[in-house]
Amino acid sequence: DQQVKQNSPSLSVQEGRISILNCDYTNSMFDYFLWYKKYPAEGPTFLISISSIKDKNEDGRFTVFLNKSAKHLSLHIVPSQPGDSAVYFCAASAGGNNDMRFGAGTRLTVKP
Amino acid sequence: DVKVTQSSRYLVKRTGEKVFLECVQDMDHENMFWYRQDPGLGLRLIYFSYDVKMKEKGDIPEGYSVSREKKERFSLILESASTNQTSMYLCASSPYIIRDPGMNTEAFFGQGTRLTVV
């Protein structure tokens, strides 16, 4: 059973608008969360992360929000650009461990 | 820049063959990981290693083994390849850090190996 869930396989938005990608987790021991971006035929690349001691982390156009009580996090991209079109994976790690668990991914398409 | 290199981009193997997937990282990272990526399932952790000669099972270790004889190299072995092991295989590495609550670091991925078992 997957501990990290991304329930939307795909999302399409217009260039310049906001993209919101969602992620839910079941393991209450997770305390560090990451978002990765993946283009076809390439490995995932790190985008942004958030610690469980925070509820928001911002880096340029990318903001991640964490709601621990709901076991939910989201990635906001504002404004969205066509180059943001990729598959986005949510990941989480727990306790003293460095290994991560990933969600199924959401394919984002940003239309010009 | 961290570089994680997987020896092959594409592999085609026959059912029953023993398959070796090699991964090398050049940043002296302690941690190394093997994942497989399948549509609708995302990345699933097969095995990981925190140090030379150490290995830990991930979520789907069945049918796989690993070897870490040197710090920079982590090999994934399919003992007897089967068609359900056709997948994209991704290697990653990360530095060891003392994990205070809520602290960690990101892992760096290789470009992936697309394995087809026929």
Side-chain angles (χ1 to χ4, degrees):
Chain A
D1 193 28
Q2 284 198 292
Q3 301 178 64
V4 179
K5 298 180 182 181
Q6 294 176 256
N7 292 319
S8 297
S10 62
L11 174 68
S12 181
V13 300
Q14 208 66 35
E15 181 179 7
R17 308 294 278 270
I18 184 170
S19 296
I20 300 177
L21 295 94
N22 293 303
C23 177
D24 297 291
Y25 61 96
T26 57
N27 187 343
S28 58
M29 297 300 292
F30 285 147
D31 61 2
Y32 192 80
F33 305 89
L34 309 93
W35 284 93
Y36 280 81
K37 177 178 178 180
K38 186 180 186 298
Y39 293 116
E42 294 183 13
T45 54
F46 170 73
L47 192 57
I48 192 170
S49 61
I50 187 166
S51 160
S52 60
I53 60 176
K54 296 184 176 181
D55 54 19
K56 177 183 174 181
N57 188 28
E58 193 171 352
D59 184 2
R61 297 186 296 113
F62 302 92
T63 303
V64 55
F65 296 91
L66 175 62
N67 182 335
K68 287 192 294 293
S69 61
K71 294 191 179 71
H72 177 84
L73 62 155
S74 61
L75 174 68
H76 293 210
I77 306 174
V78 183
S80 302
Q81 299 173 353
D84 296 330
S85 297
V87 177
Y88 289 78
F89 290 100
C90 173
S93 60
N97 301 318
N98 294 134
D99 51 292
M100 295 178 293
R101 297 303 188 273
F102 283 78
T106 296
R107 181 178 300 279
L108 173 66
T109 302
V110 180
K111 297 180 179 178
Chain B
D1 274 357
V2 175
K3 193 163 185 183
V4 180
T5 304
Q6 295 182 229
S7 54
S8 303
R9 291 297 297 267
Y10 301 95
L11 274 179
V12 180
K13 296 292 182 181
R14 294 192 181 278
T15 301
E17 275 193 78
K18 190 169 186 176
V19 181
F20 293 85
L21 302 183
E22 306 287 347
C23 176
V24 177
Q25 50 95 2
D26 65 358
M27 283 301 292
D28 202 36
H29 286 168
E30 288 77 15
N31 305 324
M32 295 190 76
F33 310 89
W34 275 106
Y35 291 87
R36 63 178 281 178
Q37 181 193 357
D38 299 288
L41 297 175
L43 278 68
R44 292 180 292 166
L45 183 62
I46 305 171
Y47 267 98
F48 57 101
S49 168
Y50 286 153
D51 202 350
V52 176
K53 297 194 185 296
M54 290 182 67
K55 60 184 179 183
E56 299 281 346
K57 291 181 180 179
D59 297 327
I60 51 164
E62 297 79 16
Y64 303 94
S65 62
V66 289
S67 172
R68 187 135 183 233
E69 295 296 320
K70 294 184 178 181
K71 190 175 185 180
E72 67 270 18
R73 186 179 296 271
F74 193 36
S75 303
L76 180 69
I77 303 155
L78 286 66
E79 297 291 343
S80 177
S82 63
T83 54
N84 63 11
Q85 293 179 309
T86 291
S87 186
M88 169 69 83
Y89 289 87
L90 292 159
C91 174
S93 73
S94 69
Y96 171 76
I97 63 166
I98 295 173
R99 283 271 276 124
D100 288 335
M103 294 297 294
N104 204 346
T105 184
E106 71 269 24
F108 299 86
F109 281 84
Q111 78 278 22
T113 296
R114 169 81 55 193
L115 172 67
T116 302
V117 182
V118 297

